[in-house]
Amino acid sequence: MTETVVAADSHVVVVSLRKSGTHLIGEVMKALGYAPFGAVRASDDVEFADPVQVRRLLKVAYGSEEAARLLGGHDRTALAAAFEAVVAALHKVWAIRLGAPTPLSLPGVPGVDAGLVGRLLCPPEAADFHLLPGRCCWFVHQLDLTAADPAFLNTWLDTGRPRIIFNYRSLPDILVSTINFLVRDAPPDRPDPVGTFPDHRVYRDILRSLPDMDARLHLALTDPGFPGMETARRSLWLLRHPAVCKVSFEELIGPHGGGTSIAQQAAVARIADFLGNHAARPATIAEQIFNPNSFTFHQGRTGTWRENFGPRHEELLQRNYGDVASAYRGPGLRA
């Protein structure tokens, strides 16, 4: 049976480096009672709002008169559609505020109303995370200090809210996982996740034109534009800031992927305590977070870089990214 235990903090931001096991921490957050958005999508059966939240959000988005008309009418279908449109727009607004803009439309996902996005960017109430309906966890792959909304950063620095969790992985494993992710074909029954992002499409074509893994690793270690590498460097502040909860892929993967049950349960307990949830049962939650059916799952193991790196690759890693690799060192990286 899946356990869900509601945590104290109602809104959380998870910054998870690409290919660092975002699906793992996504399962933890779901088990703690959060509806995930952004890089992890919520399931259709999650309840997002109560009537007070609906009224407040509609008023900010449409104005008092239109909100009253929608709420006072008998067309429940129109009300539901209006509310869903606002929620989608609000999540786009927060992607922008967090410095991680996403396309206005994704494969298989309805488009976002650009007009609503524009209106929600303006009023001061829209900068309040509590407009996000329900218990929300916003997932992004980076939180760049030069791109995020200064008002959001200042609020977080002054209040410690919303809580921020940073999920990372040893750098060479990120690199190998990224290459495998870009070159493989998407499952025939699912949209292509690479096709959503132009930089991923560009490097997919480049990587597929190379003869083998050796050449692909050389490219990734020498091309400063290779996806994820500079993002890892710009995210070091999250690893160092005392108000950020840090958790690694190597901890969360557990015994199914080369980790340990003790480290996995300790990581879950650390997240729950950070969010003020002292009723969660880490052992029970840990049992349900390994999901090989995840959309971006490949091998789900620690230390896979060892099977691909040669001495020349290790030399390039130390030369070009030695400081970053050292900071993100986990159980899968040799000293």
Side-chain angles (χ1 to χ4, degrees):
M1 178 181 294
T2 298
E3 172 167 299
T4 299
V5 183
V6 175
D9 281 283
S10 58
H11 299 91
V12 182
V13 174
V14 171
V15 185
S16 181
L17 296 179
R18 290 188 184 277
K19 310 313 299 172
S20 290
T22 304
H23 62 290
L24 297 173
I25 193 166
E27 293 299 326
V28 173
M29 299 309 293
K30 290 177 186 177
L32 290 173
Y34 292 92
F37 291 95
V40 177
R41 291 196 59 79
S43 59
D44 293 335
D45 59 351
V46 175
E47 292 292 333
F48 298 125
D50 61 29
V52 174
Q53 291 172 311
V54 171
R55 182 178 298 277
R56 184 178 181 216
L57 184 53
L58 290 178
K59 183 177 179 181
V60 172
Y62 294 108
S64 300
E65 185 175 333
E66 178 63 12
R69 186 190 69 80
L70 287 166
L71 292 164
H74 299 291
D75 190 343
R76 299 290 95 181
T77 301
L79 175 60
F83 177 69
E84 290 173 7
V86 176
V87 170
L90 189 59
H91 292 142
K92 174 64 181 178
V93 165
W94 271 105
I96 295 171
R97 291 193 185 281
L98 294 172
T102 56
L104 283 176
S105 62
L106 300 172
V109 178
V112 176
D113 187 327
L116 277 177
V117 171
R119 289 199 294 277
L120 286 169
L121 278 170
C122 296
E125 299 97 321
D128 180 358
F129 248 96
H130 291 283
L131 269 184
L132 286 167
R135 307 182 59 78
C136 294
C137 179
W138 184 262
F139 282 80
V140 292
H141 289 307
Q142 64 183 56
L143 185 52
D144 189 338
L145 292 176
T146 65
D149 181 1
F152 162 75
L153 292 172
N154 282 324
T155 298
W156 174 71
L157 289 166
D158 291 340
T159 68
R161 299 295 190 275
R163 294 288 196 177
I164 296 178
I165 299 170
F166 182 47
N167 180 57
Y168 63 96
R169 187 180 189 180
S170 68
L171 196 64
D173 270 337
I174 286 179
L175 193 149
V176 170
S177 184
T178 299
I179 291 173
N180 289 330
F181 172 70
L182 291 177
V183 299
R184 77 176 189 262
D185 293 323
D189 59 335
R190 297 182 180 181
D192 179 9
V194 174
T196 304
F197 303 95
D199 64 325
H200 282 37
R201 292 186 61 191
V202 167
Y203 277 93
R204 174 170 61 183
D205 290 348
I206 294 172
L207 289 169
R208 285 180 172 178
S209 73
L210 299 176
D212 52 31
M213 189 63 164
D214 178 81
R216 290 165 179 167
L217 281 169
H218 188 276
L219 169 81
L221 288 164
T222 56
D223 185 338
F226 190 78
M229 301 301 278
E230 282 305 311
T231 298
R233 187 185 299 280
R234 291 194 302 272
S235 298
L236 286 172
W237 74 270
L238 289 153
L239 201 63
R240 295 163 176 161
H241 199 285
V244 175
C245 177
K246 299 92 177 173
V247 62
S248 71
F249 172 92
E250 288 80 7
E251 293 173 298
L252 284 178
I253 193 63
H256 293 291
T260 67
S261 295
I262 293 174
Q264 187 181 48
Q265 292 175 32
V268 173
R270 188 162 70 250
I271 294 169
D273 288 345
F274 179 70
L275 298 176
N277 186 333
H278 306 298
R281 292 182 289 178
T284 302
I285 294 175
E287 291 175 355
Q288 64 194 53
I289 65 178
F290 185 83
N291 180 14
N293 296 317
S294 172
F295 189 47
T296 58
F297 183 90
H298 182 49
Q299 290 181 303
R301 291 190 291 114
T302 64
T304 55
W305 69 278
R306 295 174 183 271
E307 302 165 9
N308 298 279
F309 269 57
R312 176 60 174 161
H313 302 129
E314 293 195 45
E315 179 185 339
L316 288 172
L317 177 70
Q318 292 306 314
R319 180 193 303 171
N320 297 329
Y321 298 101
D323 58 332
V324 185
S326 178
Y328 291 122
R329 180 170 291 134
L333 181 61
R334 284 199 295 263

